[in-house]
Short mmCIF file of all heavy atoms in Angstrom, two decimals:
data_model
loop_
_atom_site.label_atom_id
_atom_site.label_comp_id
_atom_site.label_asym_id
_atom_site.label_seq_id
_atom_site.Cartn_x
_atom_site.Cartn_y
_atom_site.Cartn_z
N LEU B 342 -34.79 -86.32 55.54
CA LEU B 342 -34.57 -87.33 56.57
C LEU B 342 -35.39 -86.95 57.79
O LEU B 342 -35.42 -85.78 58.19
CB LEU B 342 -33.09 -87.41 56.97
CG LEU B 342 -32.10 -87.66 55.84
CD1 LEU B 342 -31.42 -86.35 55.43
CD2 LEU B 342 -31.03 -88.67 56.25
N THR B 343 -36.04 -87.95 58.40
CA THR B 343 -36.79 -87.66 59.63
C THR B 343 -35.85 -87.76 60.83
O THR B 343 -34.85 -88.47 60.79
CB THR B 343 -38.00 -88.60 59.81
OG1 THR B 343 -37.53 -89.95 59.94
CG2 THR B 343 -38.95 -88.51 58.62
N THR B 344 -36.20 -87.01 61.88
CA THR B 344 -35.23 -86.77 62.96
C THR B 344 -35.13 -87.89 63.99
O THR B 344 -34.09 -88.01 64.64
CB THR B 344 -35.56 -85.48 63.72
OG1 THR B 344 -36.92 -85.53 64.14
CG2 THR B 344 -35.30 -84.26 62.86
N GLN B 345 -36.16 -88.69 64.17
CA GLN B 345 -36.07 -89.72 65.19
C GLN B 345 -35.63 -91.03 64.55
O GLN B 345 -36.29 -91.45 63.59
CB GLN B 345 -37.41 -89.89 65.90
CG GLN B 345 -37.52 -91.07 66.84
CD GLN B 345 -36.54 -91.01 68.00
OE1 GLN B 345 -35.90 -90.00 68.24
NE2 GLN B 345 -36.36 -92.12 68.68
N PRO B 346 -34.59 -91.71 65.00
CA PRO B 346 -33.70 -91.38 66.11
C PRO B 346 -32.51 -90.52 65.67
O PRO B 346 -31.68 -90.96 64.89
CB PRO B 346 -33.19 -92.76 66.54
CG PRO B 346 -33.17 -93.55 65.26
CD PRO B 346 -34.26 -92.99 64.39
N LEU B 347 -32.49 -89.30 66.18
CA LEU B 347 -31.35 -88.42 65.92
C LEU B 347 -30.21 -88.87 66.82
O LEU B 347 -30.42 -89.09 68.01
CB LEU B 347 -31.76 -86.99 66.25
CG LEU B 347 -30.80 -85.86 65.91
CD1 LEU B 347 -30.54 -85.79 64.40
CD2 LEU B 347 -31.37 -84.52 66.37
N GLU B 348 -29.03 -89.02 66.27
CA GLU B 348 -27.87 -89.41 67.07
C GLU B 348 -27.56 -88.28 68.04
O GLU B 348 -27.38 -87.14 67.62
CB GLU B 348 -26.66 -89.67 66.18
CG GLU B 348 -26.83 -90.83 65.19
CD GLU B 348 -27.48 -90.43 63.88
OE1 GLU B 348 -28.02 -89.31 63.78
OE2 GLU B 348 -27.43 -91.25 62.94
N ARG B 349 -27.48 -88.59 69.33
CA ARG B 349 -27.28 -87.53 70.32
C ARG B 349 -26.00 -87.76 71.09
O ARG B 349 -25.92 -88.62 71.96
CB ARG B 349 -28.46 -87.50 71.31
CG ARG B 349 -29.79 -87.14 70.67
CD ARG B 349 -29.80 -85.78 70.00
NE ARG B 349 -29.62 -84.69 70.90
CZ ARG B 349 -30.62 -83.91 71.34
NH1 ARG B 349 -31.85 -84.11 70.94
NH2 ARG B 349 -30.36 -82.91 72.15
N PRO B 350 -24.96 -86.96 70.80
CA PRO B 350 -23.72 -87.05 71.58
C PRO B 350 -23.90 -86.39 72.94
O PRO B 350 -24.94 -85.77 73.21
CB PRO B 350 -22.73 -86.27 70.74
CG PRO B 350 -23.56 -85.27 70.00
CD PRO B 350 -24.91 -85.91 69.79
N VAL B 351 -22.90 -86.50 73.78
CA VAL B 351 -22.94 -85.86 75.09
C VAL B 351 -23.09 -84.35 74.91
O VAL B 351 -23.82 -83.69 75.64
CB VAL B 351 -21.66 -86.20 75.89
CG1 VAL B 351 -21.62 -85.44 77.19
CG2 VAL B 351 -21.59 -87.71 76.13
N SER B 352 -22.39 -83.82 73.92
CA SER B 352 -22.39 -82.38 73.71
C SER B 352 -23.31 -81.99 72.55
O SER B 352 -23.11 -82.43 71.40
CB SER B 352 -20.95 -81.91 73.41
OG SER B 352 -20.95 -80.80 72.55
N ASP B 353 -24.33 -81.15 72.83
CA ASP B 353 -25.20 -80.66 71.76
C ASP B 353 -24.41 -79.86 70.73
O ASP B 353 -24.76 -79.81 69.56
CB ASP B 353 -26.29 -79.75 72.35
CG ASP B 353 -27.40 -80.55 73.02
OD1 ASP B 353 -27.55 -81.75 72.71
OD2 ASP B 353 -28.10 -79.97 73.86
N ARG B 354 -23.34 -79.25 71.21
CA ARG B 354 -22.50 -78.44 70.32
C ARG B 354 -21.92 -79.31 69.18
O ARG B 354 -21.88 -78.91 68.03
CB ARG B 354 -21.38 -77.82 71.16
CG ARG B 354 -20.46 -76.86 70.44
CD ARG B 354 -21.15 -75.53 70.14
NE ARG B 354 -21.15 -75.30 68.71
CZ ARG B 354 -21.89 -74.39 68.09
NH1 ARG B 354 -22.73 -73.63 68.76
NH2 ARG B 354 -21.80 -74.25 66.79
N ASP B 355 -21.46 -80.52 69.55
CA ASP B 355 -20.93 -81.43 68.53
C ASP B 355 -22.00 -81.75 67.48
O ASP B 355 -21.72 -81.76 66.28
CB ASP B 355 -20.45 -82.74 69.17
CG ASP B 355 -19.06 -82.61 69.78
OD1 ASP B 355 -18.41 -81.56 69.59
OD2 ASP B 355 -18.63 -83.56 70.47
N LEU B 356 -23.21 -82.02 67.95
CA LEU B 356 -24.28 -82.34 67.01
C LEU B 356 -24.59 -81.15 66.12
O LEU B 356 -24.74 -81.28 64.90
CB LEU B 356 -25.53 -82.78 67.79
CG LEU B 356 -26.74 -83.14 66.95
CD1 LEU B 356 -26.44 -84.25 65.97
CD2 LEU B 356 -27.92 -83.52 67.84
N GLN B 357 -24.68 -79.99 66.73
CA GLN B 357 -24.95 -78.77 65.97
C GLN B 357 -23.87 -78.56 64.90
O GLN B 357 -24.16 -78.24 63.75
CB GLN B 357 -25.00 -77.59 66.94
CG GLN B 357 -25.20 -76.25 66.28
CD GLN B 357 -26.61 -76.10 65.74
OE1 GLN B 357 -27.58 -75.99 66.47
NE2 GLN B 357 -26.73 -76.10 64.41
N ASP B 358 -22.61 -78.75 65.29
CA ASP B 358 -21.50 -78.58 64.34
C ASP B 358 -21.63 -79.57 63.18
O ASP B 358 -21.44 -79.23 62.02
CB ASP B 358 -20.15 -78.82 65.03
CG ASP B 358 -19.75 -77.64 65.90
OD1 ASP B 358 -20.39 -76.58 65.81
OD2 ASP B 358 -18.79 -77.80 66.69
N LEU B 359 -21.94 -80.81 63.51
CA LEU B 359 -22.04 -81.82 62.47
C LEU B 359 -23.22 -81.55 61.53
O LEU B 359 -23.10 -81.66 60.31
CB LEU B 359 -22.15 -83.21 63.11
CG LEU B 359 -22.09 -84.35 62.10
CD1 LEU B 359 -21.23 -85.49 62.62
CD2 LEU B 359 -23.46 -84.85 61.73
N LEU B 360 -24.36 -81.17 62.09
CA LEU B 360 -25.52 -80.88 61.24
C LEU B 360 -25.22 -79.73 60.27
O LEU B 360 -25.65 -79.75 59.12
CB LEU B 360 -26.74 -80.53 62.11
CG LEU B 360 -27.32 -81.65 62.96
CD1 LEU B 360 -28.48 -81.13 63.81
CD2 LEU B 360 -27.78 -82.82 62.11
N SER B 361 -24.44 -78.78 60.75
CA SER B 361 -24.12 -77.61 59.91
C SER B 361 -23.28 -77.99 58.70
O SER B 361 -23.08 -77.17 57.80
CB SER B 361 -23.36 -76.56 60.73
OG SER B 361 -24.11 -76.20 61.86
N MET B 362 -22.77 -79.21 58.66
CA MET B 362 -21.96 -79.64 57.53
C MET B 362 -22.79 -80.06 56.32
O MET B 362 -22.26 -80.41 55.28
CB MET B 362 -21.02 -80.79 57.97
CG MET B 362 -20.00 -80.33 59.01
SD MET B 362 -19.10 -81.71 59.78
CE MET B 362 -18.24 -80.84 61.13
N PHE B 363 -24.11 -80.06 56.46
CA PHE B 363 -24.99 -80.22 55.29
C PHE B 363 -26.20 -79.31 55.49
O PHE B 363 -26.33 -78.66 56.52
CB PHE B 363 -25.38 -81.69 55.07
CG PHE B 363 -26.26 -82.29 56.14
CD1 PHE B 363 -27.63 -82.38 55.96
CD2 PHE B 363 -25.72 -82.78 57.32
CE1 PHE B 363 -28.46 -82.94 56.94
CE2 PHE B 363 -26.53 -83.33 58.31
CZ PHE B 363 -27.88 -83.41 58.11
N ASP B 364 -27.07 -79.27 54.51
CA ASP B 364 -28.18 -78.31 54.53
C ASP B 364 -29.32 -78.84 55.40
O ASP B 364 -30.44 -79.03 54.93
CB ASP B 364 -28.63 -78.06 53.10
CG ASP B 364 -29.60 -76.89 53.02
OD1 ASP B 364 -29.81 -76.23 54.05
OD2 ASP B 364 -30.14 -76.67 51.93
N TYR B 365 -29.00 -79.06 56.67
CA TYR B 365 -29.98 -79.71 57.55
C TYR B 365 -31.21 -78.84 57.76
O TYR B 365 -32.30 -79.35 58.03
CB TYR B 365 -29.33 -80.06 58.90
CG TYR B 365 -29.21 -78.91 59.85
CD1 TYR B 365 -30.03 -78.80 60.96
CD2 TYR B 365 -28.25 -77.92 59.65
CE1 TYR B 365 -29.91 -77.75 61.85
CE2 TYR B 365 -28.13 -76.87 60.53
CZ TYR B 365 -28.97 -76.78 61.63
OH TYR B 365 -28.85 -75.74 62.50
N GLU B 366 -31.06 -77.53 57.64
CA GLU B 366 -32.20 -76.63 57.85
C GLU B 366 -33.36 -76.97 56.92
O GLU B 366 -34.51 -76.76 57.26
CB GLU B 366 -31.80 -75.18 57.58
CG GLU B 366 -30.86 -74.61 58.58
CD GLU B 366 -30.62 -73.13 58.31
OE1 GLU B 366 -31.56 -72.43 57.90
OE2 GLU B 366 -29.48 -72.68 58.52
N HIS B 367 -33.01 -77.43 55.72
CA HIS B 367 -34.06 -77.73 54.75
C HIS B 367 -34.32 -79.22 54.59
O HIS B 367 -35.36 -79.62 54.08
CB HIS B 367 -33.69 -77.13 53.38
CG HIS B 367 -33.59 -75.65 53.42
ND1 HIS B 367 -32.39 -74.98 53.53
CD2 HIS B 367 -34.56 -74.70 53.42
CE1 HIS B 367 -32.62 -73.68 53.57
NE2 HIS B 367 -33.92 -73.47 53.50
N MET B 368 -33.37 -80.05 54.99
CA MET B 368 -33.49 -81.48 54.69
C MET B 368 -34.10 -82.31 55.82
O MET B 368 -34.53 -83.44 55.59
CB MET B 368 -32.12 -82.05 54.33
CG MET B 368 -31.64 -81.56 52.95
SD MET B 368 -29.94 -82.06 52.63
CE MET B 368 -30.10 -83.84 52.73
N LEU B 369 -34.12 -81.77 57.03
CA LEU B 369 -34.64 -82.58 58.15
C LEU B 369 -36.12 -82.29 58.40
O LEU B 369 -36.58 -81.15 58.29
CB LEU B 369 -33.84 -82.31 59.42
CG LEU B 369 -32.35 -82.68 59.39
CD1 LEU B 369 -31.74 -82.55 60.79
CD2 LEU B 369 -32.13 -84.08 58.85
N LEU B 370 -36.85 -83.35 58.74
CA LEU B 370 -38.27 -83.27 59.09
C LEU B 370 -38.44 -83.84 60.49
O LEU B 370 -37.97 -84.95 60.76
CB LEU B 370 -39.11 -84.13 58.13
CG LEU B 370 -38.96 -83.91 56.62
CD1 LEU B 370 -39.71 -85.01 55.87
CD2 LEU B 370 -39.46 -82.53 56.23
N TYR B 371 -39.11 -83.09 61.35
CA TYR B 371 -39.36 -83.63 62.69
C TYR B 371 -40.22 -84.90 62.62
O TYR B 371 -41.18 -84.97 61.85
CB TYR B 371 -40.07 -82.59 63.57
CG TYR B 371 -40.72 -83.22 64.78
CD1 TYR B 371 -39.93 -83.76 65.81
CD2 TYR B 371 -42.11 -83.33 64.88
CE1 TYR B 371 -40.52 -84.39 66.90
CE2 TYR B 371 -42.70 -83.95 65.98
CZ TYR B 371 -41.90 -84.48 66.98
OH TYR B 371 -42.47 -85.11 68.05
N SER B 372 -39.87 -85.89 63.45
CA SER B 372 -40.72 -87.06 63.60
C SER B 372 -40.63 -87.54 65.04
O SER B 372 -39.60 -87.39 65.69
CB SER B 372 -40.30 -88.19 62.65
OG SER B 372 -39.05 -88.71 63.04
N SER B 373 -41.73 -88.12 65.52
CA SER B 373 -41.76 -88.62 66.90
C SER B 373 -41.47 -90.12 66.96
O SER B 373 -40.99 -90.62 67.96
CB SER B 373 -43.14 -88.37 67.52
OG SER B 373 -44.11 -89.23 66.90
N ASP B 374 -41.81 -90.84 65.88
CA ASP B 374 -41.82 -92.29 65.87
C ASP B 374 -42.81 -92.86 66.87
O ASP B 374 -42.67 -93.99 67.34
CB ASP B 374 -40.42 -92.87 66.09
CG ASP B 374 -40.31 -94.30 65.59
OD1 ASP B 374 -41.08 -94.68 64.68
OD2 ASP B 374 -39.48 -95.05 66.11
N TYR B 375 -43.82 -92.08 67.23
CA TYR B 375 -44.91 -92.58 68.06
C TYR B 375 -45.52 -93.82 67.41
O TYR B 375 -45.65 -93.83 66.19
CB TYR B 375 -45.98 -91.50 68.21
CG TYR B 375 -47.13 -91.85 69.13
CD1 TYR B 375 -47.09 -91.49 70.47
CD2 TYR B 375 -48.24 -92.56 68.67
CE1 TYR B 375 -48.13 -91.82 71.33
CE2 TYR B 375 -49.28 -92.90 69.51
CZ TYR B 375 -49.22 -92.53 70.84
OH TYR B 375 -50.24 -92.86 71.70
N PRO B 376 -45.91 -94.84 68.14
CA PRO B 376 -45.91 -94.98 69.60
C PRO B 376 -44.73 -95.81 70.09
O PRO B 376 -44.83 -96.43 71.15
CB PRO B 376 -47.22 -95.75 69.84
CG PRO B 376 -47.30 -96.68 68.65
CD PRO B 376 -46.64 -95.94 67.50
N ASP B 377 -43.66 -95.85 69.37
CA ASP B 377 -42.54 -96.69 69.80
C ASP B 377 -41.93 -96.14 71.09
O ASP B 377 -42.06 -94.97 71.42
CB ASP B 377 -41.50 -96.78 68.68
CG ASP B 377 -42.01 -97.67 67.53
OD1 ASP B 377 -43.14 -98.18 67.65
OD2 ASP B 377 -41.31 -97.81 66.54
N GLU B 378 -41.23 -97.03 71.79
CA GLU B 378 -40.72 -96.72 73.12
C GLU B 378 -39.75 -95.54 73.10
O GLU B 378 -39.66 -94.78 74.05
CB GLU B 378 -40.03 -97.96 73.70
CG GLU B 378 -39.57 -97.84 75.14
CD GLU B 378 -40.71 -97.75 76.16
OE1 GLU B 378 -41.88 -97.98 75.80
OE2 GLU B 378 -40.41 -97.41 77.33
N HIS B 379 -39.02 -95.39 72.02
CA HIS B 379 -38.03 -94.30 71.98
C HIS B 379 -38.62 -93.02 71.35
O HIS B 379 -37.89 -92.21 70.78
CB HIS B 379 -36.77 -94.74 71.24
CG HIS B 379 -37.03 -95.21 69.85
ND1 HIS B 379 -36.13 -95.93 69.11
CD2 HIS B 379 -38.12 -95.06 69.05
CE1 HIS B 379 -36.66 -96.19 67.93
NE2 HIS B 379 -37.84 -95.68 67.87
N PHE B 380 -39.91 -92.89 71.44
CA PHE B 380 -40.64 -91.67 71.06
C PHE B 380 -39.86 -90.39 71.39
O PHE B 380 -39.29 -90.28 72.48
CB PHE B 380 -41.96 -91.69 71.83
CG PHE B 380 -42.71 -90.39 71.78
CD1 PHE B 380 -43.62 -90.15 70.75
CD2 PHE B 380 -42.51 -89.42 72.75
CE1 PHE B 380 -44.32 -88.95 70.71
CE2 PHE B 380 -43.21 -88.22 72.71
CZ PHE B 380 -44.11 -87.98 71.68
N ALA B 381 -39.85 -89.43 70.47
CA ALA B 381 -39.20 -88.13 70.73
C ALA B 381 -40.20 -87.01 70.54
O ALA B 381 -40.76 -86.85 69.45
CB ALA B 381 -38.02 -87.93 69.77
N SER B 382 -40.42 -86.23 71.57
CA SER B 382 -41.37 -85.12 71.48
C SER B 382 -40.72 -83.96 70.72
O SER B 382 -39.51 -83.96 70.49
CB SER B 382 -41.77 -84.67 72.89
OG SER B 382 -40.74 -83.86 73.43
#
Side-chain angles (χ1 to χ4, degrees):
Chain B
L342 304 101
T343 63
T344 53
Q345 171 62 11
L347 187 61
E348 297 87 347
R349 296 301 295 258
V351 175
S352 149
D353 283 339
R354 184 73 239 165
D355 279 352
L356 179 58
Q357 177 71 69
D358 285 348
L359 187 139
L360 293 177
S361 304
M362 295 169 190
F363 67 99
D364 190 6
Y365 80 106
E366 291 186 36
H367 297 99
M368 289 172 60
L369 297 188
L370 306 171
Y371 162 69
S372 69
S373 70
D374 201 25
Y375 184 93
D377 288 359
E378 186 68 10
H379 57 196
F380 168 89
S382 79

